Amino acid sequence: MEREISDYVKFVTMDQVQRFVDSIRKMPYDVDACHGNYIVDAKSLLGLLSLSLGREIKLVVHSEDPLAEDLLKMICDDFR
């Protein structure tokens, strides 16, 4: 059964967003980025930039894979 795994990140520079997108695109799962009422594809550079720099962004991975949580945490640890 598919579940939702979430974590939070915060970007200060456009370079951080680009490095994050490069990393998250390697995940074989659907990943959403959420702030307030807005939800975008976390693998989209323009989508993430539309959520604004300096705000805490919730990431949600949709997956049945038990390793998805560990992968998300490992990627997010660099962007807190």
Side-chain angles (χ1 to χ4, degrees), residues 31-42 47 50-51 58 60 62:
V31 184
D32 293 329
C34 315
H35 180 75
N37 293 331
Y38 299 99
I39 300 172
V40 298
D41 183 352
S50 73
L51 296 178
K58 180 180 181 181
V60 180
H62 306 275

Side-chain angles (χ1 to χ4, degrees), residues 7-11 13-27 31-34 40-45 47-49 51 57-61 71-80:
D7 206 338
Y8 291 86
V9 293
K10 187 175 184 179
F11 306 111
T13 67
M14 288 181 58
D15 181 57
Q16 287 178 320
V17 177
Q18 181 64 57
R19 286 187 300 116
F20 174 81
V21 169
D22 290 344
S23 297
I24 206 80
R25 282 183 178 163
K26 295 174 186 173
M27 291 183 74
V31 184
D32 293 329
C34 315
V40 298
D41 183 352
K43 296 179 180 184
S44 166
L45 178 64
L48 284 175
L49 289 173
L51 296 178
I57 297 171
K58 180 180 181 181
L59 299 172
V60 180
V61 175
L71 284 172
L72 182 63
K73 182 175 175 13
M74 186 172 57
I75 291 171
C76 291
D77 282 345
D78 291 336
F79 301 97
R80 296 197 199 278

